[in-house]
Amino acid sequence: MYIIFRRIIPFFTRAFLVGLFLSFLMTIFDIYYSTKSPSLLCVQVTNIKVWLYDFEEVEDKGLREFAFVTMDIDGDFTSLFTFNTKAIFVSVIVEYETSTHKRNQIMLWSTTIMKNSITRIKSHKTLNKYSLYDITNSFNGVNGTYIIEWNVIPKVGMIKYGRANSNESKFVCAFPMINNNTSINV
Amino acid sequence: MWFEWKIDFEGQKQAELISQVGIILFAAIGFIAGFLLQNLILAFQIFGGGIFLTSLFVLPPWSFYNQHPVQWLPPIQIEKDKPEQEEVDELKEKST
């Protein structure tokens, strides 16, 4: 004789497992469909200034170079939004190589696009949101590449990562040395 | 007890079959509807509603689950002096 407590648990366990399988199917179909990239990506740096500041959080570090970058950002992410997308996190990073450290990446600017909002980003002459300084105390005038990256946050599944690949959507320019502390107009 | 909601074994077989069919059917319907209409939440809403309907159909003890009640055997009448007599006889056999 089967009483209610012995019947209710297997029923809901089976339902839960089938629900997990349903969400797995949704993720698989979404991955199969969304191998797209944004249709327009462009970042351009109009102005870089480098100043020497005292890094107040640590006592014995002394003065270090802080860079202020003004840029124009343009991107169209409409084709990346499927039924499984909740938000897209867009960021602009700068990559450069110095003599002591082979690969440096610093995030300059970021924003989040939610699903039911405008999916086109267009920023004109924005300053970098986050501080730009090197792990040693100066940049030494190396060349920096400015790249747009994005992370797609789904409703069900894993976070996907993408970055600009073609050379037209990246931007290369050098950090100015501290001796000639004038702004460069690109 | 009235709150135990008992069903018999034949009814349990039927209930399990109906529950398996119902769960998988509503998952398939939810997936197809959500994929065609490009709406993820709709798929899970259809699935949840289907689970609720199936549980209404399977969990309470409807009368068609109790059609084959278990046939218990009639109780055996045990007389009190017989086992003692048998034990005494066994002890005598072992001693001789």
Side-chain angles (χ1 to χ4, degrees):
Chain A
M1 311 290 277
Y2 285 80
I3 60 174
I4 181 66
F5 304 111
R6 205 178 149 183
R7 284 187 284 126
I8 206 171
I9 294 177
F11 175 75
F12 283 111
T13 310
R14 283 181 200 145
F16 180 65
L17 285 178
V18 173
L20 284 183
F21 186 69
L22 178 68
S23 60
F24 176 71
L25 274 185
M26 286 298 198
T27 312
I28 291 290
F29 274 80
D30 184 37
I31 290 178
Y32 176 72
Y33 266 89
S34 67
T35 54
K36 304 169 192 147
S37 45
S39 52
L40 171 67
L41 278 179
C42 182
V43 58
Q44 284 179 338
V45 174
T46 54
N47 204 349
I48 303 183
K49 290 182 192 170
V50 175
W51 299 87
L52 277 178
Y53 276 141
D54 194 6
F55 199 50
E56 292 156 15
E57 294 169 5
V58 183
E59 278 100 14
D60 57 345
K61 283 287 186 175
L63 298 173
R64 66 166 58 213
E65 287 184 4
F66 279 80
F68 295 92
V69 180
T70 314
M71 38 193 176
D72 291 340
I73 305 165
D74 198 2
D76 190 5
F77 291 93
T78 315
S79 61
L80 285 185
F81 276 91
T82 62
F83 63 91
N84 197 16
T85 314
K86 191 187 283 188
I88 293 186
F89 179 76
V90 182
S91 59
V92 173
I93 63 167
V94 56
E95 271 189 0
Y96 58 94
E97 176 181 340
T98 60
S99 54
T100 50
H101 295 86
K102 188 145 188 218
R103 189 171 158 200
N104 304 290
Q105 275 179 344
I106 303 175
M107 186 185 289
L108 297 181
W109 181 87
S110 67
T111 183
T112 311
I113 314 174
M114 305 300 285
K115 178 155 189 181
N116 295 324
S117 66
I118 300 173
T119 57
R120 167 97 191 242
I121 297 178
K122 199 168 168 61
S123 297
H124 186 61
K125 284 193 177 171
T126 51
L127 208 55
N128 49 331
K129 264 190 195 179
Y130 312 113
S131 319
L132 178 56
Y133 56 89
D134 193 38
I135 194 168
T136 63
N137 282 352
S138 77
F139 286 109
N140 281 331
V142 295
N143 273 337
T145 315
Y146 295 82
I147 307 169
I148 295 186
E149 290 182 335
W150 61 91
N151 287 307
V152 180
I153 304 169
K155 289 179 185 169
V156 179
M158 297 194 299
I159 291 185
K160 289 193 283 288
Y161 167 77
R163 68 188 291 183
N165 270 336
S166 64
N167 283 334
E168 296 148 355
S169 47
K170 303 185 193 178
F171 191 87
V172 179
C173 75
F175 293 101
M177 297 289 292
I178 202 67
N179 295 329
N180 47 342
N181 196 10
T182 54
S183 60
I184 61 171
N185 288 321
V186 179
Chain B
M1 300 291 159
W2 60 270
F3 54 85
E4 279 179 344
W5 280 10
K6 285 185 192 166
I7 59 175
D8 53 46
F9 295 104
E10 281 295 323
Q12 176 63 25
K13 276 192 211 170
Q14 295 174 8
E16 261 184 49
L17 183 69
I18 291 176
S19 74
Q20 292 277 39
V21 166
I23 290 175
I24 295 180
L25 186 74
F26 278 104
I29 291 177
F31 175 70
I32 290 174
F35 192 70
L36 287 181
L37 292 176
Q38 293 288 304
N39 194 355
L40 184 90
I41 300 183
L42 180 70
F44 283 102
Q45 279 173 348
I46 291 180
F47 181 64
I51 294 300
F52 179 69
L53 280 180
T54 318
S55 70
L56 277 186
F57 212 65
V58 165
L59 294 178
W62 303 113
S63 58
F64 56 87
Y65 289 137
N66 274 321
Q67 295 292 325
H68 304 274
V70 179
Q71 301 293 332
W72 298 106
L73 293 178
I76 301 177
Q77 296 298 325
I78 300 179
E79 298 178 15
K80 292 227 173 152
D81 50 345
K82 269 199 179 174
E84 294 175 353
Q85 187 73 22
E86 288 175 2
E87 280 181 46
V88 168
D89 289 341
E90 283 177 12
L91 285 175
K92 282 190 180 171
E93 286 176 11
K94 281 185 187 172
S95 61
T96 57

